[in-house]
Amino acid sequence: MAAPKLNVELRNGGGRRYSIKLRKDGFIPGVIYGHNKETRSIKLNEIETLKVLKRFGSGSTVNLNLNGEVIPAIIKEIQKDIIKDNLLHIDFQQLSEDEEIKVFVPIVLLGKGKVESSTTIIQQQIMELEIRCLPKYIPNSVEVDVSNLKFGDSITVGDLNLGENIEILHDENEVIASLTANSKYEELEDDKDVPIYESDKSILDR
């Protein structure tokens, strides 16, 4: 999947008052920085940015269109209002084609519906995978098929094969997902084993 494009503009102001006015006008302040790169202060259209974040996630790679210059970058940090959950500021790290970068990519489990039931459930223990590679090899997500898991089985980092161009920065024994007992089912089973005493029977007979 091709990286999404975001239109950005240079901004000349700074400070709290300027940022508040910017957000009232429908923009989000941000910066673009990178290794041996000039840091540039920018502003982004809030609606357009929210659409990209909703579809691709907060750590995705994007192509920033700055006055016709296309800048490949990764969304490095997002600041939000802790009360209103509004976007306050976004940091973009500019990517160099020949320089490896460490990033987190989301893990997507496939086939959960084939193994989950009233008694079993897939427990996902790692939501994101940290990798290191050149920008052109960064995946939007890592898909993990869990459709063949048996009860008690698990998938570890060592089971993944992302190719020779991507280095996984986790211990190979770290568990990604496992098929375990459904806690709701266990609670129901536990309730069945609870004895009913004479005092309880009198209540039930009322």
Side-chain angles (χ1 to χ4, degrees), residues 19-29 46 87-89:
S19 296
I20 291 174
K21 182 180 185 306
L22 206 62
R23 296 184 195 104
K24 285 183 177 180
D25 293 337
F27 291 93
I28 304 167
E46 182 178 17
L87 293 175
L88 298 178
H89 192 277

Side-chain angles (χ1 to χ4, degrees), residues 6-18:
L6 270 175
N7 295 311
V8 301
E9 302 175 40
L10 290 175
R11 58 182 170 92
N12 298 318
R16 186 171 179 272
R17 289 185 178 180
Y18 176 83

Side-chain angles (χ1 to χ4, degrees), residues 66-95:
L66 178 60
N67 298 326
E69 177 190 0
V70 178
I71 304 170
I74 186 168
I75 302 173
K76 201 64 176 177
E77 183 180 355
I78 296 176
Q79 297 177 23
K80 289 187 175 183
D81 187 300
I82 59 175
I83 298 176
K84 299 180 180 179
D85 201 39
N86 295 336
L87 293 175
L88 298 178
H89 192 277
I90 301 182
D91 289 359
F92 295 93
Q93 182 177 348
Q94 186 172 346
L95 303 176

Side-chain angles (χ1 to χ4, degrees), residues 164-177:
E164 60 183 14
N165 296 310
I166 298 177
E167 179 186 0
I168 300 175
L169 303 177
H170 290 257
D171 186 286
E172 64 178 13
N173 295 317
E174 198 168 347
V175 175
I176 295 173

Side-chain angles (χ1 to χ4, degrees), residues 4-8 44 48-49 52 62-66 92:
K5 182 179 289 186
L6 270 175
N7 295 311
V8 301
L44 310 88
E48 182 182 354
T49 304
V52 169
V62 294
N63 288 320
L64 302 177
N65 180 18
L66 178 60
F92 295 93

Side-chain angles (χ1 to χ4, degrees), residues 48-206:
E48 182 182 354
T49 304
L50 287 172
K51 287 180 179 178
V52 169
L53 291 176
K54 183 177 181 180
R55 182 177 179 186
F56 296 93
S58 58
S60 59
T61 55
V62 294
N63 288 320
L64 302 177
N65 180 18
L66 178 60
N67 298 326
E69 177 190 0
V70 178
I71 304 170
I74 186 168
I75 302 173
K76 201 64 176 177
E77 183 180 355
I78 296 176
Q79 297 177 23
K80 289 187 175 183
D81 187 300
I82 59 175
I83 298 176
K84 299 180 180 179
D85 201 39
N86 295 336
L87 293 175
L88 298 178
H89 192 277
I90 301 182
D91 289 359
F92 295 93
Q93 182 177 348
Q94 186 172 346
L95 303 176
S96 299
E97 292 183 0
D98 57 351
E99 186 177 334
E100 288 188 333
I101 184 174
K102 290 196 295 185
V103 295
F104 285 91
V105 292
I107 296 175
V108 178
L109 302 184
L110 304 178
K112 291 174 61 176
K114 294 184 178 181
V115 292
E116 288 188 330
S117 66
S118 60
T119 60
T120 59
I121 189 170
I122 290 290
Q123 185 178 47
Q124 186 173 355
Q125 292 168 256
I126 304 177
M127 301 300 174
E128 292 182 315
L129 195 71
E130 187 178 18
I131 62 173
R132 177 164 49 213
C133 62
L134 294 174
K136 64 181 178 181
Y137 297 123
I138 299 174
N140 289 318
S141 63
V142 173
E143 296 182 343
V144 177
D145 186 2
V146 298
S147 62
N148 294 318
L149 285 181
K150 306 298 183 184
F151 181 76
D153 286 350
S154 61
I155 294 177
T156 65
V157 171
D159 295 321
L160 299 179
N161 181 14
L162 303 185
E164 60 183 14
N165 296 310
I166 298 177
E167 179 186 0
I168 300 175
L169 303 177
H170 290 257
D171 186 286
E172 64 178 13
N173 295 317
E174 198 168 347
V175 175
I176 295 173
S178 56
L179 186 62
T180 62
N182 191 328
S183 59
K184 292 183 179 179
Y185 174 77
E186 288 182 331
E187 289 173 2
L188 291 174
E189 288 298 301
D190 290 342
D191 289 342
K192 291 180 182 178
D193 296 334
V194 176
I196 300 178
Y197 298 101
E198 291 300 325
S199 59
D200 297 324
K201 289 182 180 179
S202 62
I203 294 175
L204 294 174
D205 291 338
R206 289 177 186 176

